[in-house]
Amino acid sequence: MSILVLNCGSSSIKFSIYARRPTEGPELQVLCHGEYEGIGGGERHFAAADAEGNPLDTGDYGAGTDNLTHTKALDYLLAWLQDQDYMDNLEATGHRVVHGGKDFSAPVRIDSSVLKRLEALIPLAPLHQPHNLAAIRILAERYPEFLQIACFDTAFHACQAPVARRYALPRELTDAGIQRYGFHGLSYDYLSRRLRTLSPAAGNARVIIAHLGNGASMCALRGSESQATSMGFTALEGLPMGTRCGSLDPGVILYLQQSRGMKPTAISDLLYRRSGLLGVSGISNDMRTLLASGDPRAKDAIDMFVYRINRELGSLAAALGGVDALVFSGGIGEHSPVIRARVCELAGWLGLRLDPAANDRSSSRIDAKDSAVAVWVIPTNEELMIASYVNERLGQ
Ligand code: ADP
């Protein structure tokens, strides 16, 4: 029997199928994974690969459709899974859901009342939540017999102390749920478990994880539990990202409204889609493009990204009272020796020393022998984390 994992973004649907309890090897074994890109516009592309990464199919599913919606893309995907004989063995679907709000601090079985409560959180994660929920609705319509489990990016941080979660706002607003939640929790949970496997001592250590992808955040952990994180009420706070601004004086938003007459939707578009690396460089949100560019504006964007990571590192190290290990992950953290080297150079004040050759090879351990802080590069796997949650639930 198997589990389908779905991660529906604004323009893509990522999926994986995991076999449960295969006869040999680990408890969960990926059978295939893939991605549907170009939903809602842009170049349409469907790719799927088997466990070894061999391409299974790269056809243009949905050719001839003018507007590829999430519904259509999911229909094509479900038909493809049916063609490949995956649907008959399916027991459950695990969905990445970005925001669980105050109510959900663990994976939850989805029914209509859960769905309604998750819909109320759409304004808190406008880039992701509507698409996460659309997939749940479509699957419930087409396959009402499937168990559907929502796995939240916020849940991992629910154990944080109130002082780490509170904004300095009047109490009634905090009580109404205006507080820091934090995100990328599926990634942090996976990475902290993986770090414990690689280095059992790290289980009790003071660890900072930098998840540096198109969305980027950092998390301070002690005893593998989240103590503080850079993102807050929404996934806008903290580090500057591909297109998101990161932390910003709220006075800027008041100014844009009051003096520039900007409407909330225009401000939302500015902060979520036109800021960050893209906004500062005016060139791209893609770190590879910026690193390859000779344009000084690309350099400004990269300098700002590295500088702000170092500032956040200081803040999180203070929250932990020191740091024993730093972990890099996400597309940039896993694949860019240049960014890792620059971050580590600025982190010299922590006694952190890099092994340049190990860093260039993107080895899993990249600190020098005399470093006071262990430095790791660990690829994240949010899909496997979701499958593990669903597997645990099915085993109950
Ligand atoms: P998402 O948050 O969408 O999951 P990813 O974790 O896939 O994003 O990260 C995407 C980012 O990783 C992009 O900015 C991309 O340029 C960057 N990236 C991927 N490979 C490299 C590389 N070799 N060098 C630098 N940046 C890279």
Side-chain angles (χ1 to χ4, degrees):
M1 299 304 279
S2 55
I3 296 168
L4 168 65
V5 173
L6 283 178
N7 178 357
C8 291
S10 53
S11 64
S12 70
I13 296 177
K14 291 183 188 153
F15 69 94
S16 309
I17 302 264
Y18 286 88
R20 296 183 70 214
R21 294 191 221 97
T23 42
E24 51 191 59
E27 204 176 346
L28 284 169
Q29 204 170 54
V30 70
L31 297 179
C32 82
H33 58 97
E35 184 166 15
Y36 216 134
E37 291 176 307
I39 300 169
E43 203 169 311
R44 218 176 288 159
H45 182 65
F46 174 77
D50 66 13
E52 279 77 43
N54 304 312
L56 288 175
D57 194 334
T58 51
D60 178 14
Y61 280 77
T65 352
D66 289 339
N67 181 18
L68 183 66
T69 59
H70 280 80
T71 312
K72 282 181 193 157
L74 208 56
D75 276 340
Y76 293 127
L77 175 60
L78 294 171
W80 183 82
L81 291 170
Q82 191 84 59
D83 278 356
Q84 306 278 321
D85 290 335
Y86 286 121
M87 293 309 276
D88 295 339
N89 289 327
L90 221 58
E91 267 178 295
T93 307
H95 294 267
R96 178 187 182 195
V97 177
V98 165
H99 218 306
K102 268 185 106 158
D103 292 352
F104 300 106
S105 54
V108 65
R109 181 181 184 154
I110 301 162
D111 58 24
S112 54
S113 102
V114 168
L115 196 54
K116 225 177 182 164
R117 281 148 79 194
L118 295 177
E119 275 165 359
L121 298 169
I122 286 176
L124 275 57
L127 280 193
H128 300 99
Q129 193 93 343
H131 309 299
N132 305 157
L133 301 187
I136 292 172
R137 240 179 276 112
I138 292 165
L139 244 91
E141 274 166 27
R142 309 276 195 284
Y143 296 92
E145 70 279 14
F146 281 171
L147 177 71
Q148 297 205 71
I149 307 282
C151 303
F152 302 101
D153 271 310
T154 46
F156 184 68
H157 306 292
C159 59
Q160 284 179 8
V163 70
R165 290 173 69 90
R166 202 185 292 283
Y167 287 118
L169 289 169
R171 252 170 203 280
E172 63 268 25
L173 293 178
T174 311
D175 295 344
I178 302 185
Q179 59 168 63
R180 311 187 79 251
Y181 290 98
F183 297 85
H184 288 135
L186 300 166
S187 175
Y188 292 131
D189 198 359
Y190 173 81
L191 292 166
S192 70
R193 291 176 195 222
R194 186 83 191 108
L195 180 63
R196 254 188 350 243
T197 310
L198 293 166
S199 163
N204 294 316
R206 297 162 299 181
V207 177
I208 295 179
I209 304 180
H211 175 111
L212 308 176
N214 200 24
S217 74
M218 292 170 70
C219 183
L221 302 94
R222 188 197 289 267
S224 300
E225 289 192 348
S226 174
Q227 308 294 311
T229 190
S230 60
M231 282 178 172
F233 180 59
T234 69
L236 271 183
E237 198 181 352
L239 300 175
M241 307 172 217
T243 62
R244 284 173 255 168
C245 60
S247 292
L248 187 75
D249 177 353
V252 172
I253 297 164
L254 298 176
Y255 174 81
L256 292 173
Q257 268 183 330
Q258 292 162 0
S259 299
R260 291 230 178 173
M262 279 179 80
K263 298 275 181 280
T265 47
I267 295 179
S268 174
D269 183 57
L270 173 76
L271 304 183
Y272 276 101
R273 295 189 174 84
R274 296 197 290 119
S275 298
L277 297 174
L278 174 66
V280 174
S281 70
I283 299 169
S284 174
N285 64 327
D286 192 310
M287 184 56 87
R288 278 167 297 199
T289 309
L290 299 180
L291 287 167
S293 166
D295 192 313
R297 296 172 305 159
K299 182 177 176 308
D300 287 345
I302 298 168
D303 288 351
M304 179 204 58
F305 188 65
V306 171
Y307 171 83
R308 293 273 290 273
I309 291 170
N310 187 47
R311 290 275 303 262
E312 204 61 57
L313 192 59
S315 165
L316 294 174
L320 290 174
V323 52
D324 303 307
L326 173 65
V327 178
F328 286 99
S329 194
I332 300 171
E334 290 166 30
H335 302 296
S336 179
V338 176
I339 298 294
R340 289 195 302 259
R342 289 192 56 186
V343 169
C344 289
E345 196 186 336
L346 287 181
W349 62 278
L350 285 165
L352 187 157
R353 306 274 176 271
L354 200 62
D355 173 343
N359 181 44
D360 287 346
R361 287 195 304 274
S362 293
S363 304
S364 66
R365 186 80 187 261
I366 61 170
D367 51 296
K369 283 202 168 59
D370 62 345
S371 180
V373 179
V375 188
W376 297 85
V377 179
I378 308 182
T380 197
N381 195 337
E382 289 151 303
E383 284 75 23
L384 179 55
M385 196 66 246
I386 293 171
S388 307
Y389 292 141
V390 176
N391 194 37
E392 277 167 26
R393 179 58 67 102
L394 287 169
Q396 282 170 4

